[in-house]
Amino acid sequence: MTKTGADYAWFEDDFPDIAEAYCFTLVRDLSPAELMSRLGGRPEAPLQGIAAAVDATFALYDLGEGDRQLVAMTNVGTWTLLIEPNGYLGVTEEQALPASAGTSWISHFTNVNGVGTFLWAEDQVLRLCFDPMFPEDRRGTEPDELLDVMRQIGFHLKAEDPETDFAPQAAFALAEHLTGIAITPALLQDTTFTCATVRIR
């Protein structure tokens, strides 16, 4: 059964420090080391739990390295999950599309102003990109392929569709539909993440 945005309501409640600004990316069949090689990452010490990654992100800003973004990564099945507290690398097309060569790249982002992006790329081709708050405005080679699924998940696509308070969370559900990977509280709390910093363009 397809999950909805409401199934991810726990994210904002349980992880408020990252929920207001984040980027989550799933990349198929690349290890964290391979993904970092593609992104030109600089290895950093591993961190236990997403709260530690949030703290390390802001410590990096305090050090004046505002041109670098901390990323926390882990293998989940055949995918690598890449999390950026207060970041946007995963939806930056100039970096994401080249890095998606030969693989699938599904990423979603939101910031403190409520601006968001959902990006789906396959082998350097942008298949779908939209703001979860405004899903009626889509672009890519397959902008309408997932309309039925998007409507089931809870995206407000037409005036007659019911309004929802879970647009950002619906991006998690759509990513899960495309990858089969569920983001869970235990995954965020208990994982020891491989970490790196990547230069922001």
Side-chain angles (χ1 to χ4, degrees), residues 116-181:
T117 303
F118 187 96
L119 183 149
W120 171 26
E122 296 280 349
D123 194 14
Q124 303 186 75
V125 175
L126 181 66
R127 297 193 61 172
L128 176 64
C129 188
F130 66 95
D131 184 333
M133 293 297 292
F134 304 99
E136 68 279 4
D137 184 15
R138 301 174 304 281
R139 59 190 179 88
T141 60
E142 303 292 341
D144 298 334
E145 180 178 344
L146 299 175
L147 287 185
D148 289 342
V149 172
M150 290 172 66
R151 190 169 285 111
Q152 292 174 34
I153 284 171
F155 287 105
H156 185 76
L157 293 165
K158 295 182 178 178
E160 60 267 27
D161 290 340
E163 292 281 359
T164 176
D165 293 328
F166 299 110
Q169 294 88 345
F172 282 97
L174 185 57
E176 182 177 345
H177 172 80
L178 287 168
T179 65
I181 300 300

Short mmCIF file of all heavy atoms in Angstrom, two decimals, residues 116-181:
data_model
loop_
_atom_site.label_atom_id
_atom_site.label_comp_id
_atom_site.label_asym_id
_atom_site.label_seq_id
_atom_site.Cartn_x
_atom_site.Cartn_y
_atom_site.Cartn_z
N GLY A 116 10.76 24.45 -1.32
CA GLY A 116 11.18 23.06 -1.43
C GLY A 116 11.39 22.63 -2.86
O GLY A 116 10.97 23.31 -3.81
N THR A 117 12.03 21.48 -3.03
CA THR A 117 12.25 20.88 -4.34
C THR A 117 12.23 19.37 -4.20
O THR A 117 12.80 18.82 -3.26
CB THR A 117 13.61 21.29 -4.94
OG1 THR A 117 13.70 22.70 -5.02
CG2 THR A 117 13.81 20.70 -6.33
N PHE A 118 11.56 18.71 -5.14
CA PHE A 118 11.66 17.26 -5.31
C PHE A 118 12.32 17.03 -6.66
O PHE A 118 11.86 17.59 -7.67
CB PHE A 118 10.30 16.58 -5.26
CG PHE A 118 10.38 15.08 -5.26
CD1 PHE A 118 10.33 14.36 -4.08
CD2 PHE A 118 10.52 14.37 -6.45
CE1 PHE A 118 10.43 12.97 -4.08
CE2 PHE A 118 10.63 12.98 -6.47
CZ PHE A 118 10.57 12.29 -5.28
N LEU A 119 13.36 16.21 -6.71
CA LEU A 119 14.10 15.98 -7.94
C LEU A 119 14.31 14.49 -8.15
O LEU A 119 14.78 13.80 -7.25
CB LEU A 119 15.45 16.70 -7.88
CG LEU A 119 16.34 16.65 -9.12
CD1 LEU A 119 17.18 17.92 -9.23
CD2 LEU A 119 17.28 15.43 -9.08
N TRP A 120 13.95 14.02 -9.35
CA TRP A 120 14.16 12.63 -9.73
C TRP A 120 14.95 12.62 -11.04
O TRP A 120 14.49 13.17 -12.05
CB TRP A 120 12.83 11.93 -9.89
CG TRP A 120 12.90 10.54 -10.49
CD1 TRP A 120 13.96 9.67 -10.45
CD2 TRP A 120 11.86 9.87 -11.21
NE1 TRP A 120 13.65 8.51 -11.10
CE2 TRP A 120 12.36 8.59 -11.58
CE3 TRP A 120 10.58 10.23 -11.57
CZ2 TRP A 120 11.61 7.68 -12.29
CZ3 TRP A 120 9.81 9.32 -12.29
CH2 TRP A 120 10.32 8.06 -12.64
N ALA A 121 16.13 12.03 -10.99
CA ALA A 121 16.98 11.93 -12.18
C ALA A 121 17.36 10.48 -12.42
O ALA A 121 17.51 9.70 -11.48
CB ALA A 121 18.24 12.78 -12.02
N GLU A 122 17.50 10.14 -13.69
CA GLU A 122 17.98 8.82 -14.10
C GLU A 122 19.09 9.02 -15.12
O GLU A 122 18.87 9.60 -16.19
CB GLU A 122 16.85 8.01 -14.75
CG GLU A 122 15.69 7.67 -13.83
CD GLU A 122 15.97 6.48 -12.93
OE1 GLU A 122 16.98 5.78 -13.16
OE2 GLU A 122 15.18 6.25 -11.99
N ASP A 123 20.30 8.57 -14.77
CA ASP A 123 21.43 8.60 -15.69
C ASP A 123 21.60 9.97 -16.34
O ASP A 123 21.64 10.10 -17.56
CB ASP A 123 21.27 7.50 -16.75
CG ASP A 123 22.56 7.25 -17.54
OD1 ASP A 123 23.63 7.71 -17.10
OD2 ASP A 123 22.47 6.61 -18.60
N GLN A 124 21.66 10.99 -15.51
CA GLN A 124 21.92 12.38 -15.90
C GLN A 124 20.74 13.06 -16.60
O GLN A 124 20.89 14.18 -17.10
CB GLN A 124 23.17 12.49 -16.79
CG GLN A 124 24.43 11.91 -16.14
CD GLN A 124 25.66 12.15 -16.96
OE1 GLN A 124 26.18 13.26 -17.02
NE2 GLN A 124 26.14 11.10 -17.63
N VAL A 125 19.60 12.39 -16.64
CA VAL A 125 18.40 12.98 -17.25
C VAL A 125 17.42 13.36 -16.15
O VAL A 125 17.06 12.52 -15.31
CB VAL A 125 17.74 12.00 -18.23
CG1 VAL A 125 16.43 12.58 -18.77
CG2 VAL A 125 18.69 11.67 -19.38
N LEU A 126 16.97 14.61 -16.15
CA LEU A 126 15.99 15.07 -15.17
C LEU A 126 14.62 14.59 -15.59
O LEU A 126 14.06 15.05 -16.59
CB LEU A 126 16.02 16.60 -15.10
CG LEU A 126 15.07 17.24 -14.09
CD1 LEU A 126 15.48 16.88 -12.66
CD2 LEU A 126 15.01 18.74 -14.27
N ARG A 127 14.05 13.66 -14.83
CA ARG A 127 12.74 13.12 -15.18
C ARG A 127 11.60 13.91 -14.55
O ARG A 127 10.54 14.05 -15.15
CB ARG A 127 12.64 11.65 -14.77
CG ARG A 127 13.63 10.78 -15.52
CD ARG A 127 13.36 9.32 -15.37
NE ARG A 127 12.06 8.95 -15.90
CZ ARG A 127 11.66 7.68 -16.02
NH1 ARG A 127 12.47 6.69 -15.67
NH2 ARG A 127 10.48 7.38 -16.49
N LEU A 128 11.82 14.41 -13.32
CA LEU A 128 10.75 15.13 -12.63
C LEU A 128 11.36 16.09 -11.63
O LEU A 128 12.25 15.72 -10.87
CB LEU A 128 9.83 14.14 -11.91
CG LEU A 128 8.70 14.74 -11.06
CD1 LEU A 128 7.70 15.51 -11.94
CD2 LEU A 128 7.98 13.65 -10.28
N CYS A 129 10.84 17.33 -11.62
CA CYS A 129 11.28 18.31 -10.64
C CYS A 129 10.11 19.24 -10.34
O CYS A 129 9.43 19.71 -11.27
CB CYS A 129 12.46 19.11 -11.17
SG CYS A 129 13.24 20.19 -9.94
N PHE A 130 9.85 19.47 -9.04
CA PHE A 130 8.76 20.37 -8.65
C PHE A 130 8.94 20.76 -7.19
O PHE A 130 9.68 20.13 -6.44
CB PHE A 130 7.40 19.70 -8.86
CG PHE A 130 7.13 18.51 -7.97
CD1 PHE A 130 6.43 18.64 -6.78
CD2 PHE A 130 7.58 17.24 -8.34
CE1 PHE A 130 6.19 17.55 -5.97
CE2 PHE A 130 7.35 16.14 -7.52
CZ PHE A 130 6.65 16.30 -6.34
N ASP A 131 8.23 21.81 -6.79
CA ASP A 131 8.16 22.22 -5.40
C ASP A 131 6.98 21.48 -4.76
O ASP A 131 5.85 21.60 -5.25
CB ASP A 131 7.94 23.74 -5.32
CG ASP A 131 7.94 24.28 -3.89
OD1 ASP A 131 7.61 23.53 -2.96
OD2 ASP A 131 8.25 25.48 -3.72
N PRO A 132 7.20 20.70 -3.69
CA PRO A 132 6.10 19.96 -3.08
C PRO A 132 4.91 20.84 -2.66
O PRO A 132 3.78 20.34 -2.56
CB PRO A 132 6.76 19.30 -1.86
CG PRO A 132 8.17 19.08 -2.30
CD PRO A 132 8.50 20.32 -3.10
N MET A 133 5.15 22.13 -2.41
CA MET A 133 4.04 23.02 -2.07
C MET A 133 3.25 23.43 -3.31
O MET A 133 2.09 23.86 -3.19
CB MET A 133 4.57 24.27 -1.36
CG MET A 133 5.17 23.99 0.00
SD MET A 133 3.98 23.32 1.20
CE MET A 133 2.91 24.74 1.41
N PHE A 134 3.84 23.28 -4.49
CA PHE A 134 3.19 23.68 -5.74
C PHE A 134 3.37 22.58 -6.79
O PHE A 134 3.99 22.80 -7.84
CB PHE A 134 3.77 25.02 -6.24
CG PHE A 134 3.68 26.13 -5.23
CD1 PHE A 134 4.78 26.47 -4.46
CD2 PHE A 134 2.49 26.81 -5.04
CE1 PHE A 134 4.69 27.48 -3.52
CE2 PHE A 134 2.39 27.82 -4.10
CZ PHE A 134 3.49 28.17 -3.33
N PRO A 135 2.83 21.39 -6.53
CA PRO A 135 3.09 20.24 -7.40
C PRO A 135 2.43 20.34 -8.77
O PRO A 135 2.75 19.54 -9.65
CB PRO A 135 2.53 19.07 -6.60
CG PRO A 135 1.46 19.67 -5.75
CD PRO A 135 1.98 21.03 -5.38
N GLU A 136 1.56 21.31 -8.95
CA GLU A 136 0.96 21.48 -10.27
C GLU A 136 1.94 22.05 -11.29
O GLU A 136 1.72 21.97 -12.50
CB GLU A 136 -0.28 22.38 -10.18
CG GLU A 136 -0.02 23.84 -9.85
CD GLU A 136 0.19 24.11 -8.36
OE1 GLU A 136 0.22 23.15 -7.57
OE2 GLU A 136 0.31 25.29 -8.00
N ASP A 137 3.05 22.61 -10.80
CA ASP A 137 4.06 23.20 -11.67
C ASP A 137 5.26 22.26 -11.72
O ASP A 137 6.17 22.33 -10.90
CB ASP A 137 4.46 24.58 -11.14
CG ASP A 137 5.45 25.29 -12.05
OD1 ASP A 137 5.60 24.86 -13.20
OD2 ASP A 137 6.08 26.27 -11.59
N ARG A 138 5.26 21.36 -12.72
CA ARG A 138 6.28 20.32 -12.81
C ARG A 138 7.05 20.46 -14.11
O ARG A 138 6.54 20.95 -15.11
CB ARG A 138 5.63 18.92 -12.78
CG ARG A 138 4.81 18.63 -11.53
CD ARG A 138 4.08 17.31 -11.64
NE ARG A 138 3.22 17.23 -12.83
CZ ARG A 138 2.01 17.78 -12.92
NH1 ARG A 138 1.50 18.44 -11.89
NH2 ARG A 138 1.30 17.66 -14.02
N ARG A 139 8.29 19.98 -14.08
CA ARG A 139 9.10 19.94 -15.31
C ARG A 139 9.93 18.67 -15.31
O ARG A 139 9.99 17.93 -14.32
CB ARG A 139 9.99 21.17 -15.41
CG ARG A 139 10.96 21.37 -14.28
CD ARG A 139 11.63 22.73 -14.34
NE ARG A 139 12.54 22.93 -13.23
CZ ARG A 139 13.82 22.58 -13.22
NH1 ARG A 139 14.36 22.01 -14.32
NH2 ARG A 139 14.59 22.80 -12.17
N GLY A 140 10.58 18.41 -16.45
CA GLY A 140 11.36 17.19 -16.62
C GLY A 140 10.85 16.42 -17.81
O GLY A 140 9.86 16.79 -18.45
N THR A 141 11.51 15.29 -18.13
CA THR A 141 11.10 14.51 -19.29
C THR A 141 9.82 13.72 -19.05
O THR A 141 9.16 13.33 -20.01
CB THR A 141 12.22 13.53 -19.69
OG1 THR A 141 12.48 12.64 -18.60
CG2 THR A 141 13.50 14.27 -20.06
N GLU A 142 9.48 13.46 -17.77
CA GLU A 142 8.27 12.69 -17.44
C GLU A 142 7.48 13.42 -16.35
O GLU A 142 7.23 12.88 -15.28
CB GLU A 142 8.65 11.29 -16.96
CG GLU A 142 9.47 10.48 -17.94
CD GLU A 142 8.69 10.08 -19.18
OE1 GLU A 142 7.45 10.12 -19.13
OE2 GLU A 142 9.33 9.74 -20.20
N PRO A 143 7.02 14.65 -16.61
CA PRO A 143 6.39 15.41 -15.54
C PRO A 143 5.05 14.85 -15.06
O PRO A 143 4.63 15.16 -13.95
CB PRO A 143 6.22 16.80 -16.16
CG PRO A 143 6.14 16.55 -17.63
CD PRO A 143 7.08 15.40 -17.87
N ASP A 144 4.40 14.03 -15.89
CA ASP A 144 3.07 13.54 -15.53
C ASP A 144 3.04 12.05 -15.23
O ASP A 144 1.98 11.48 -14.99
CB ASP A 144 2.08 13.84 -16.66
CG ASP A 144 1.93 15.33 -16.92
OD1 ASP A 144 2.17 16.11 -15.97
OD2 ASP A 144 1.59 15.71 -18.05
N GLU A 145 4.18 11.39 -15.23
CA GLU A 145 4.22 9.93 -15.06
C GLU A 145 3.66 9.49 -13.72
O GLU A 145 3.04 8.42 -13.61
CB GLU A 145 5.66 9.42 -15.22
CG GLU A 145 5.80 7.91 -15.07
CD GLU A 145 7.21 7.43 -15.28
OE1 GLU A 145 8.03 8.19 -15.85
OE2 GLU A 145 7.51 6.30 -14.90
N LEU A 146 3.86 10.27 -12.68
CA LEU A 146 3.51 9.85 -11.32
C LEU A 146 2.27 10.56 -10.77
O LEU A 146 2.04 10.55 -9.56
CB LEU A 146 4.69 10.11 -10.38
CG LEU A 146 5.98 9.37 -10.70
CD1 LEU A 146 7.09 9.82 -9.77
CD2 LEU A 146 5.78 7.85 -10.60
N LEU A 147 1.44 11.14 -11.63
CA LEU A 147 0.33 11.94 -11.14
C LEU A 147 -0.63 11.14 -10.26
O LEU A 147 -1.06 11.63 -9.21
CB LEU A 147 -0.44 12.56 -12.32
CG LEU A 147 0.26 13.71 -13.05
CD1 LEU A 147 -0.67 14.29 -14.10
CD2 LEU A 147 0.71 14.79 -12.08
N ASP A 148 -0.98 9.94 -10.67
CA ASP A 148 -1.91 9.14 -9.87
C ASP A 148 -1.31 8.83 -8.50
O ASP A 148 -2.00 8.92 -7.46
CB ASP A 148 -2.27 7.85 -10.59
CG ASP A 148 -3.17 8.07 -11.80
OD1 ASP A 148 -3.78 9.16 -11.89
OD2 ASP A 148 -3.25 7.17 -12.64
N VAL A 149 -0.04 8.46 -8.49
CA VAL A 149 0.63 8.16 -7.22
C VAL A 149 0.73 9.41 -6.36
O VAL A 149 0.47 9.37 -5.15
CB VAL A 149 2.04 7.58 -7.48
CG1 VAL A 149 2.83 7.45 -6.18
CG2 VAL A 149 1.93 6.24 -8.16
N MET A 150 1.08 10.53 -6.97
CA MET A 150 1.19 11.79 -6.23
C MET A 150 -0.12 12.16 -5.58
O MET A 150 -0.16 12.63 -4.44
CB MET A 150 1.69 12.90 -7.15
CG MET A 150 3.13 12.74 -7.58
SD MET A 150 3.65 13.94 -8.85
CE MET A 150 3.54 15.48 -7.92
N ARG A 151 -1.21 11.95 -6.30
CA ARG A 151 -2.53 12.28 -5.74
C ARG A 151 -2.85 11.36 -4.56
O ARG A 151 -3.36 11.81 -3.53
CB ARG A 151 -3.59 12.16 -6.84
CG ARG A 151 -4.95 12.72 -6.43
CD ARG A 151 -5.89 12.83 -7.62
NE ARG A 151 -5.53 13.96 -8.48
CZ ARG A 151 -5.02 13.83 -9.71
NH1 ARG A 151 -4.80 12.65 -10.23
NH2 ARG A 151 -4.74 14.90 -10.42
N GLN A 152 -2.52 10.06 -4.68
CA GLN A 152 -2.75 9.12 -3.57
C GLN A 152 -1.93 9.51 -2.34
O GLN A 152 -2.38 9.38 -1.20
CB GLN A 152 -2.37 7.70 -4.00
CG GLN A 152 -3.26 7.08 -5.06
CD GLN A 152 -2.71 5.74 -5.51
OE1 GLN A 152 -2.12 4.99 -4.74
NE2 GLN A 152 -2.90 5.44 -6.79
N ILE A 153 -0.70 9.96 -2.59
CA ILE A 153 0.20 10.31 -1.49
C ILE A 153 -0.29 11.55 -0.75
O ILE A 153 -0.06 11.70 0.45
CB ILE A 153 1.63 10.52 -2.04
CG1 ILE A 153 2.25 9.14 -2.34
CG2 ILE A 153 2.51 11.31 -1.08
CD1 ILE A 153 3.57 9.21 -3.09
N GLY A 154 -0.98 12.44 -1.46
CA GLY A 154 -1.54 13.61 -0.78
C GLY A 154 -1.12 14.95 -1.36
O GLY A 154 -1.40 15.99 -0.76
N PHE A 155 -0.47 14.94 -2.52
CA PHE A 155 -0.13 16.22 -3.16
C PHE A 155 -1.40 16.87 -3.71
O PHE A 155 -2.25 16.21 -4.29
CB PHE A 155 0.88 16.00 -4.29
CG PHE A 155 2.26 15.69 -3.82
CD1 PHE A 155 2.76 14.40 -3.90
CD2 PHE A 155 3.07 16.68 -3.30
CE1 PHE A 155 4.05 14.10 -3.46
CE2 PHE A 155 4.36 16.41 -2.86
CZ PHE A 155 4.85 15.11 -2.94
N HIS A 156 -1.49 18.17 -3.54
CA HIS A 156 -2.65 18.94 -3.98
C HIS A 156 -2.41 19.38 -5.42
O HIS A 156 -1.75 20.39 -5.68
CB HIS A 156 -2.84 20.16 -3.06
CG HIS A 156 -4.07 20.95 -3.35
ND1 HIS A 156 -5.32 20.55 -2.99
CD2 HIS A 156 -4.22 22.14 -3.99
CE1 HIS A 156 -6.21 21.45 -3.36
NE2 HIS A 156 -5.57 22.43 -3.99
N LEU A 157 -2.94 18.60 -6.39
CA LEU A 157 -2.64 18.81 -7.80
C LEU A 157 -3.69 19.65 -8.53
O LEU A 157 -3.37 20.33 -9.50
CB LEU A 157 -2.49 17.46 -8.51
CG LEU A 157 -1.28 16.64 -8.06
CD1 LEU A 157 -1.39 15.21 -8.53
CD2 LEU A 157 0.01 17.25 -8.59
N LYS A 158 -4.93 19.58 -8.07
CA LYS A 158 -6.01 20.32 -8.71
C LYS A 158 -6.87 20.99 -7.64
O LYS A 158 -6.84 20.60 -6.47
CB LYS A 158 -6.89 19.39 -9.56
CG LYS A 158 -6.18 18.77 -10.75
CD LYS A 158 -7.14 17.91 -11.56
CE LYS A 158 -6.46 17.31 -12.78
NZ LYS A 158 -7.38 16.44 -13.55
N ALA A 159 -7.65 21.96 -8.07
CA ALA A 159 -8.47 22.70 -7.12
C ALA A 159 -9.42 21.78 -6.35
O ALA A 159 -9.72 22.01 -5.18
CB ALA A 159 -9.26 23.79 -7.84
N GLU A 160 -9.88 20.71 -7.01
CA GLU A 160 -10.83 19.81 -6.36
C GLU A 160 -10.17 18.79 -5.43
O GLU A 160 -10.85 18.10 -4.68
CB GLU A 160 -11.68 19.07 -7.40
CG GLU A 160 -10.90 18.20 -8.37
CD GLU A 160 -10.54 18.94 -9.65
OE1 GLU A 160 -10.42 20.18 -9.62
OE2 GLU A 160 -10.37 18.25 -10.68
N ASP A 161 -8.85 18.71 -5.48
CA ASP A 161 -8.16 17.79 -4.57
C ASP A 161 -8.21 18.33 -3.15
O ASP A 161 -8.15 19.54 -2.93
CB ASP A 161 -6.70 17.62 -4.99
CG ASP A 161 -6.55 16.84 -6.28
OD1 ASP A 161 -7.50 16.14 -6.65
OD2 ASP A 161 -5.48 16.94 -6.90
N PRO A 162 -8.32 17.44 -2.15
CA PRO A 162 -8.36 17.92 -0.76
C PRO A 162 -7.06 18.59 -0.35
O PRO A 162 -5.97 18.15 -0.75
CB PRO A 162 -8.60 16.64 0.05
CG PRO A 162 -8.14 15.52 -0.83
CD PRO A 162 -8.41 15.97 -2.24
N GLU A 163 -7.16 19.65 0.41
CA GLU A 163 -5.98 20.31 0.95
C GLU A 163 -5.31 19.39 1.98
O GLU A 163 -5.95 18.58 2.63
CB GLU A 163 -6.36 21.63 1.62
CG GLU A 163 -6.87 22.69 0.66
CD GLU A 163 -5.73 23.39 -0.09
OE1 GLU A 163 -4.55 23.06 0.18
OE2 GLU A 163 -6.03 24.25 -0.92
N THR A 164 -4.00 19.52 2.12
CA THR A 164 -3.27 18.71 3.09
C THR A 164 -2.23 19.57 3.79
O THR A 164 -1.71 20.52 3.21
CB THR A 164 -2.58 17.51 2.41
OG1 THR A 164 -1.80 16.81 3.39
CG2 THR A 164 -1.68 17.96 1.27
N ASP A 165 -1.96 19.22 5.02
CA ASP A 165 -0.91 19.91 5.78
C ASP A 165 0.42 19.17 5.69
O ASP A 165 1.36 19.50 6.39
CB ASP A 165 -1.31 20.02 7.25
CG ASP A 165 -2.51 20.92 7.46
OD1 ASP A 165 -2.66 21.89 6.69
OD2 ASP A 165 -3.29 20.66 8.39
N PHE A 166 0.51 18.16 4.81
CA PHE A 166 1.68 17.28 4.80
C PHE A 166 2.44 17.33 3.48
O PHE A 166 3.00 16.34 3.05
CB PHE A 166 1.24 15.83 5.07
CG PHE A 166 0.59 15.64 6.41
CD1 PHE A 166 -0.77 15.37 6.50
CD2 PHE A 166 1.32 15.73 7.57
CE1 PHE A 166 -1.37 15.18 7.73
CE2 PHE A 166 0.73 15.55 8.81
CZ PHE A 166 -0.63 15.27 8.89
N ALA A 167 2.49 18.49 2.82
CA ALA A 167 3.19 18.58 1.54
C ALA A 167 4.68 18.24 1.66
O ALA A 167 5.19 17.43 0.87
CB ALA A 167 2.99 19.95 0.91
N PRO A 168 5.43 18.82 2.61
CA PRO A 168 6.84 18.43 2.71
C PRO A 168 7.01 16.94 3.03
O PRO A 168 7.86 16.26 2.46
CB PRO A 168 7.38 19.31 3.84
CG PRO A 168 6.45 20.48 3.89
CD PRO A 168 5.10 19.91 3.55
N GLN A 169 6.16 16.44 3.93
CA GLN A 169 6.26 15.03 4.30
C GLN A 169 5.86 14.11 3.14
O GLN A 169 6.34 12.97 3.03
CB GLN A 169 5.37 14.74 5.51
CG GLN A 169 5.83 15.42 6.79
CD GLN A 169 5.26 16.83 6.95
OE1 GLN A 169 4.75 17.42 6.00
NE2 GLN A 169 5.34 17.37 8.15
N ALA A 170 4.99 14.61 2.24
CA ALA A 170 4.60 13.81 1.08
C ALA A 170 5.81 13.51 0.20
O ALA A 170 5.84 12.50 -0.50
CB ALA A 170 3.52 14.53 0.29
N ALA A 171 6.81 14.39 0.22
CA ALA A 171 8.03 14.14 -0.55
C ALA A 171 8.73 12.87 -0.06
O ALA A 171 9.30 12.12 -0.87
CB ALA A 171 8.96 15.34 -0.47
N PHE A 172 8.72 12.61 1.24
CA PHE A 172 9.29 11.37 1.77
C PHE A 172 8.54 10.16 1.22
O PHE A 172 9.15 9.15 0.85
CB PHE A 172 9.22 11.35 3.30
CG PHE A 172 10.26 12.17 3.99
CD1 PHE A 172 9.98 13.46 4.41
CD2 PHE A 172 11.53 11.66 4.24
CE1 PHE A 172 10.94 14.23 5.07
CE2 PHE A 172 12.49 12.42 4.89
CZ PHE A 172 12.19 13.71 5.31
N ALA A 173 7.21 10.27 1.18
CA ALA A 173 6.39 9.16 0.69
C ALA A 173 6.63 8.91 -0.80
O ALA A 173 6.68 7.76 -1.25
CB ALA A 173 4.92 9.43 0.96
N LEU A 174 6.80 9.98 -1.58
CA LEU A 174 7.06 9.80 -3.00
C LEU A 174 8.45 9.19 -3.23
O LEU A 174 8.62 8.32 -4.09
CB LEU A 174 6.94 11.14 -3.73
CG LEU A 174 7.07 11.10 -5.25
CD1 LEU A 174 6.04 10.16 -5.88
CD2 LEU A 174 6.95 12.50 -5.84
N ALA A 175 9.43 9.62 -2.45
CA ALA A 175 10.76 9.02 -2.54
C ALA A 175 10.71 7.54 -2.19
O ALA A 175 11.36 6.71 -2.83
CB ALA A 175 11.73 9.76 -1.64
N GLU A 176 9.92 7.19 -1.18
CA GLU A 176 9.79 5.78 -0.81
C GLU A 176 9.12 5.00 -1.93
O GLU A 176 9.51 3.85 -2.23
CB GLU A 176 8.99 5.64 0.48
CG GLU A 176 8.86 4.19 0.93
CD GLU A 176 8.14 4.01 2.25
OE1 GLU A 176 7.98 5.00 3.00
OE2 GLU A 176 7.74 2.86 2.55
N HIS A 177 8.12 5.58 -2.58
CA HIS A 177 7.47 4.90 -3.71
C HIS A 177 8.47 4.59 -4.82
O HIS A 177 8.45 3.51 -5.42
CB HIS A 177 6.34 5.77 -4.25
CG HIS A 177 5.75 5.24 -5.52
ND1 HIS A 177 4.82 4.22 -5.54
CD2 HIS A 177 5.96 5.58 -6.82
CE1 HIS A 177 4.49 3.94 -6.79
NE2 HIS A 177 5.17 4.75 -7.59
N LEU A 178 9.37 5.52 -5.10
CA LEU A 178 10.33 5.35 -6.19
C LEU A 178 11.48 4.42 -5.84
O LEU A 178 12.06 3.79 -6.73
CB LEU A 178 10.90 6.71 -6.60
CG LEU A 178 9.95 7.63 -7.37
CD1 LEU A 178 10.52 9.04 -7.45
CD2 LEU A 178 9.69 7.08 -8.76
N THR A 179 11.83 4.33 -4.57
CA THR A 179 13.02 3.58 -4.16
C THR A 179 12.73 2.31 -3.37
O THR A 179 13.58 1.41 -3.30
CB THR A 179 13.94 4.46 -3.30
OG1 THR A 179 13.25 4.78 -2.07
CG2 THR A 179 14.32 5.74 -4.03
N GLY A 180 11.57 2.25 -2.73
CA GLY A 180 11.28 1.16 -1.81
C GLY A 180 11.94 1.33 -0.46
O GLY A 180 11.86 0.44 0.40
N ILE A 181 12.58 2.47 -0.23
CA ILE A 181 13.31 2.72 1.02
C ILE A 181 12.49 3.63 1.92
O ILE A 181 12.15 4.76 1.56
CB ILE A 181 14.68 3.37 0.75
CG1 ILE A 181 15.54 2.46 -0.13
CG2 ILE A 181 15.38 3.69 2.07
CD1 ILE A 181 15.82 1.10 0.44
#
